[in-house]
Amino acid sequence: MSSLTVRRLIVWVVSMGLGFLLAALFVTLVLPWMGPHGGNPISIQKYGIQYFFWTAFPIGLLILVWLDYFLDTRILPD
């Protein structure tokens, strides 16, 4: 495996991991302040697994774009 492939795999894993972590923090800590729950945390199961995925995946892609730029993995075309 080339070093570029290893860097690309690391970028994908780190970006998706951070995306899902940030989405989990957003769902459990930020959304209750904005909604009618009165600041009580809500679970990811109550939020919905599919809604959680479609919240986390785009966040992970945004992180992927910046990691791709800084680590020069050339995942996105120039």
Side-chain angles (χ1 to χ4, degrees):
M1 221 186 252
S2 71
S3 67
L4 181 62
T5 305
V6 171
R7 282 190 299 168
R8 285 178 177 174
L9 287 173
I10 290 170
V11 165
W12 272 102
V13 169
V14 168
S15 64
M16 289 301 131
L18 283 174
F20 277 79
L21 178 70
L22 288 174
L25 290 173
F26 182 77
V27 166
T28 56
L29 299 176
V30 176
L31 281 182
W33 291 344
M34 299 169 74
H37 295 289
N40 296 328
I42 58 173
S43 67
I44 293 172
Q45 288 79 18
K46 188 172 183 179
Y47 182 69
I49 300 295
Q50 186 173 3
Y51 288 126
F52 177 73
F53 174 78
W54 290 112
T55 303
F57 186 68
I59 295 171
L61 289 178
L62 286 172
I63 295 169
L64 178 106
V65 168
W66 286 104
L67 286 178
D68 176 47
Y69 174 75
F70 287 120
L71 296 177
D72 193 31
T73 56
R74 292 171 286 198
I75 294 172
L76 299 173
D78 290 335

